């Protein structure tokens, strides 16, 4: 919604934040291509085509660049989100299980990607 503070998250590509639903231009984005970010802000009230960043958290940075620690707030938000998913599935009658790996240690065949 225009002018309402919210958070978006996705991978930075060409100055835009992209996720599975699409991409949006983020004004004030201080991150590099390839970074995965969480951005707090709001939609531009004039164009509604760009997102005005109030704060940017870099959650993941591709290897080969300086690592970024995940802020405690982001970890709490992730835990809350996962708890919400689990609560919904539990309320709907689903049972959470952990499946075994097919192979604990893949072979060393040079023709297979492991």
């Amino acid at each position: 919604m225009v002018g309402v503070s919210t958070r978006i998250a996705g991978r930075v590509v060409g100055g835009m934040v992209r996720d599975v639903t699409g991409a949006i231009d983020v004004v004030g984005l201080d991150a590099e291509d390839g970074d995965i970010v969480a951005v707090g802000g709001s939609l531009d009230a004039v164009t509604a085509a760009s997102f005005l960043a109030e704060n940017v958290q870099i959650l993941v940075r591709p290897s080969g660049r300086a690592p970024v620690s995940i802020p405690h707030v982001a970890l709490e938000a992730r835990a809350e989100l996962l708890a919400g998913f689990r609560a919904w599935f539990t309320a709907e009658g689903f049972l959470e299980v952990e499946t075994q790996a097919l192979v604990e240690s893949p072979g060393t065949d040079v023709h297979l990607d492991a």
Side-chain angles (χ1 to χ4, degrees):
M1 297 179 74
V2 175
V4 176
S5 289
T6 189
R7 291 177 59 82
I8 61 172
R11 182 177 300 275
V12 177
V13 178
M16 301 180 86
V17 174
R18 178 176 301 276
D19 68 4
V20 296
T21 62
I24 188 165
D25 181 41
V26 178
V27 178
L29 182 64
D30 185 22
E32 300 175 16
D33 277 3
D35 290 347
I36 297 176
V37 298
V39 182
S42 59
L43 280 176
D44 183 350
V46 176
T47 65
S50 59
F51 192 81
L52 305 174
E54 295 169 6
N55 62 60
V56 177
Q57 295 175 329
I58 299 173
L59 303 177
V60 178
R61 178 159 277 168
S63 61
R65 298 188 359 227
V68 174
S69 63
I70 298 176
H72 187 66
V73 174
L75 293 174
E76 288 176 347
R78 178 183 182 275
E80 184 178 331
L81 182 67
L82 290 175
F85 287 145
R86 286 190 172 104
W88 183 86
F89 279 107
T90 299
E92 293 294 314
F94 286 86
L95 177 65
E96 182 176 354
V97 298
E98 290 188 28
T99 58
Q100 297 177 341
L102 290 176
V103 179
E104 288 185 24
S105 179
T108 57
D109 191 320
V110 296
H111 300 290
L112 298 177
D113 290 330

